[in-house]
Amino acid sequence: MANISAAQQITEGIDLNVENGEIIVLTGAENAGKNDWLKTIAAIYYPLSGTINYFGKNSTDYSNTERSQLRKRLAYVTADVNLLSVINGLANVMLPAIYHKLGSVDEIRSRAMDLISNLGIDDKIELLPADMKKDQCFLLMVARALMLKPRILFLEKPFCSMDTVSSEHFKKFLNHLAKQKNTTIIISTQDINFIRKYADKVVYLSLENSFSFEHVEDFLNSRNTQIATFLGETNIL
Amino acid sequence: MTQIFRIFPAMSGWAGKLFLTPIFYIVNLTTFSLLALRDWKRYTPLLKKDSYRNLVTQMIFTGVDALPAIALLAVITGFIFTFRLIAIVDSVGGSDDLVNILVNVIGLEIGPLITAFILISRTGSAIVVDIGNMKLHGEIEGLEYLSININHFFVGPRLLGCAISQLALTVYYTTITMITGVVISSFMLSAEYLQLLSSLSTAISPTMLLAFVIKNLSFGFMIAAAACYHGLKVVKSPTEVPQQTQQAITNSLITIFIIDGFMGLALLA
């Protein structure tokens, strides 16, 4: 599906093969550039060197129009952006599907309601984003991105603003999305519980270097000092 | 003497910047507008009803919602301009060209300009604040992540909506202001002035009509273009929103006077 072999300025390059339905976690110390990496892998930033192949084609070979179309297949959700403030939650979720004409309005509404219900935020759909909590807005943004039926979902620090209950529900939803709906999920997070429970592959990033693990157990049992320290600190947290 | 050699390059640089800045601004604004229209045309199938939702929304906000303000202003300026103009011509013994004067001064100059002032202060400023705040809060970036073309979704409908609304509002304004002025004149000067109403409708030549349409469409288009352009120039600080709003208003005013000047020259030629 995707083959990543790229480098950013702050760390050494990473090499990774991404398959359908996998959950891949980018983790590491603070300020290790996880989000820059995530944006690079999501074809929002250009890599400084190396290649990122999506669906058999190098991301730098996509024209501007193709790159814009690629965004439909590579959904990116971050807390740094916001829902449209002038329309309510449901309209926000329906917007991309209506814009790209992915069905009749009734079909789109029904799909949006299903997604919202699965995410456990159905009581908030009539509210404007200004009247919602940050985590509810984030979940609606996830629903909005999933309306385009992306092949890969990128999530930037998704559990930061969530309480334990919502976070656990969302993690299960993501796992279901990956394993049942075959959507690949790439996440930047320091949540070690999520990594333990749901991750298939892990990329550890630090200021100096990076390590890719094809199996989560390899990461958890790594003898590397940096990773061991990281795991120790996050365990205490 | 050496002082002069030092000051001269600085002065010429300042003068050059003063001369080039408006030229670059007009080039940027035109390019921005054309790109927005290109994208809008590319994604919006003509004659497809549901593609025009944003355009209709913009026209309702700019055109329909502004009707009460325009109507009130038209009645007031009907007294200030139309009646005063008729009274002045009347005081110098009347003129056969009164109808022509009214069509040219009120219909082709004051009408479009007053409507444009309302559009700049009401719609232009609203667009800058709206788009600027959306940019500031990452709402636009969020849409770009969903492969939504901003030119198509935000800019194109606003350009066309404002252009059409400006034209419609000017027709509305000019009609009311003419009728008000003529009716007041018939009460205060002579009942014969009521005949002006029928003469006015037949005095508009095809050239004047074409100039009227082109001028108003250009005014509305450029007001929205300047507003969207400045709204999208907001990057990350809240203080940029009022700064860009102020620049959009000033530049819109200058732009419409430039267009008006060129149109005047074209009509004379």
Side-chain angles (χ1 to χ4, degrees):
Chain A
M1 181 188 233
N3 181 279
I4 301 156
S5 174
Q8 271 286 22
Q9 198 167 11
I10 45 180
T11 55
E12 286 175 6
I14 59 173
D15 290 291
L16 198 67
N17 280 310
V18 182
E19 302 298 335
N20 282 331
E22 282 185 333
I23 295 180
I24 292 143
V25 174
L26 263 66
T27 192
E30 283 293 334
N31 304 321
K34 294 187 288 293
N35 298 332
D36 287 339
W37 263 111
L38 198 67
K39 283 196 169 79
T40 309
I41 297 169
I44 292 169
Y45 293 170
Y46 285 92
L48 287 176
S49 62
T51 56
I52 301 175
N53 288 309
Y54 280 113
F55 317 109
K57 192 174 177 182
N58 190 337
S59 68
T60 50
D61 292 341
Y62 283 93
S63 67
N64 280 344
T65 317
E66 287 173 330
R67 213 173 166 81
S68 166
Q69 292 304 308
L70 190 66
R71 293 257 55 83
K72 283 193 224 170
R73 301 163 86 183
L74 310 176
Y76 192 91
V77 184
T78 166
D80 291 344
V81 303
N82 274 307
L83 295 165
L84 267 188
S85 52
V86 289
I87 52 177
N88 68 24
L90 178 63
N92 261 294
V93 175
M94 290 168 65
L95 177 72
I98 290 176
Y99 180 84
H100 293 294
K101 300 182 179 69
L102 300 181
S104 69
V105 174
D106 286 341
E107 286 166 6
I108 291 169
R109 181 177 287 113
S110 152
R111 221 174 98 66
M113 291 300 289
D114 280 350
L115 272 170
I116 288 169
S117 168
N118 289 337
L119 282 161
I121 39 170
D122 8 10
D123 54 330
K124 307 291 175 194
I125 55 170
E126 296 299 332
L127 297 178
L128 288 173
D131 298 322
M132 292 181 205
K133 288 181 189 165
K134 216 169 176 182
D135 59 328
Q136 291 161 348
C137 287
F138 188 86
L139 291 174
L140 281 173
M141 280 193 283
V142 173
R144 182 172 78 162
L146 290 173
M147 286 299 287
L148 295 176
K149 299 179 184 167
R151 297 283 299 278
I152 306 180
L153 174 65
F154 294 88
L155 296 170
E156 195 179 302
K157 294 183 179 171
F159 315 115
C160 277
S161 58
M162 292 183 195
D163 58 40
T164 322
V165 179
S166 333
S167 165
E168 207 48 50
H169 184 269
F170 185 48
K171 285 171 189 173
K172 281 180 187 159
F173 171 84
L174 292 177
N175 190 50
H176 178 265
L177 189 70
K179 304 308 169 208
Q180 306 299 319
K181 309 273 181 185
N182 227 16
T183 305
T184 304
I185 297 169
I186 304 183
I187 298 183
S188 72
T189 183
Q190 286 184 315
D191 190 324
I192 200 71
N193 292 326
F194 178 79
I195 298 173
R196 275 211 179 92
K197 219 166 166 183
Y198 301 109
D200 293 305
K201 291 175 182 172
V202 178
V203 177
Y204 178 85
L205 299 160
S206 73
L207 282 172
E208 299 82 24
N209 41 31
S210 66
F211 306 92
S212 305
F213 297 91
E214 288 289 321
H215 303 284
V216 69
E217 294 77 21
D218 298 342
F219 168 70
L220 295 170
N221 300 321
S222 172
R223 291 178 184 278
N224 181 289
T225 333
Q226 273 183 44
I227 297 172
T229 314
F230 170 76
L231 287 171
E233 282 171 1
T234 43
N235 269 335
I236 292 165
L237 288 172
Chain B
M1 195 66 181
T2 49
Q3 284 285 345
I4 293 169
F5 282 117
R6 271 186 209 155
I7 291 169
F8 184 72
M11 288 292 285
S12 58
W14 174 78
K17 191 182 170 195
L18 209 67
F19 176 72
L20 288 174
T21 305
I23 293 173
F24 282 136
Y25 179 78
I26 288 168
V27 170
N28 284 342
L29 198 61
T30 312
T31 314
F32 170 79
S33 315
L34 292 176
L35 286 175
L37 278 187
R38 186 201 64 179
D39 284 352
W40 196 69
K41 176 86 174 55
R42 183 188 290 169
Y43 291 99
T44 304
L46 287 171
L47 306 175
K48 197 161 180 188
K49 205 171 63 180
D50 57 340
S51 304
Y52 293 90
R53 187 176 298 150
N54 285 342
L55 174 64
V56 172
T57 311
Q58 185 61 48
M59 281 168 64
I60 289 170
F61 173 71
T62 310
V64 182
D65 291 355
L67 282 179
I70 288 278
L72 179 68
L73 208 65
V75 170
I76 296 166
T77 51
F79 176 76
I80 297 169
F81 295 123
T82 318
F83 167 66
R84 293 276 293 149
L85 205 61
I86 296 171
I88 289 166
V89 174
D90 187 73
S91 68
V92 292
S95 165
D96 295 338
D97 281 337
L98 180 59
V99 173
N100 218 5
I101 292 170
L102 283 175
V103 169
N104 274 291
V105 175
I106 307 292
L108 270 182
E109 294 300 332
I110 291 174
L113 283 174
I114 296 265
T115 315
F117 293 159
I118 299 242
L119 225 70
I120 291 170
S121 56
R122 199 177 168 277
T123 309
S125 56
I127 290 176
V128 186
V129 173
D130 187 29
I131 294 184
N133 277 326
M134 281 199 276
K135 185 100 187 287
L136 204 60
H137 296 131
E139 293 173 36
I140 288 183
E141 198 182 347
L143 294 180
E144 283 173 328
Y145 287 163
L146 299 163
S147 187
I148 291 177
N149 184 301
I150 298 308
N151 279 343
H152 173 232
F153 191 70
F154 282 122
V155 184
R158 280 168 170 79
L159 298 186
L160 290 181
C162 273
I164 296 167
S165 300
Q166 161 80 26
L167 179 61
L169 284 176
T170 311
V171 171
Y172 185 72
Y173 169 87
T174 312
T175 310
I176 294 179
T177 204
M178 290 278 202
I179 291 171
T180 310
V182 170
V183 169
I184 293 172
S185 306
S186 69
F187 279 115
M188 299 185 73
L189 303 172
S190 159
E192 284 177 13
Y193 279 115
L194 272 179
Q195 289 170 2
L196 277 175
L197 289 176
S198 56
S199 317
L200 280 168
S201 56
T202 52
I204 304 162
S205 68
T207 319
M208 276 181 179
L209 190 65
L210 186 69
F212 179 82
V213 171
I214 293 174
K215 183 186 273 190
N216 281 296
L217 288 179
S218 330
F219 278 7
F221 186 87
M222 291 317 283
I223 290 166
C228 292
Y229 177 76
H230 284 282
L232 288 170
K233 275 181 88 174
V234 172
V235 184
K236 53 183 168 185
S237 168
T239 53
E240 289 174 56
V241 179
Q243 284 168 358
Q244 292 299 336
T245 309
Q246 172 255 321
Q247 279 183 35
I249 290 172
T250 313
N251 291 339
S252 297
L253 283 171
I254 294 168
T255 311
I256 62 162
F257 277 111
I258 291 171
I259 295 171
D260 203 27
F262 277 115
M263 290 289 297
L265 282 175
L267 275 175
L268 276 177

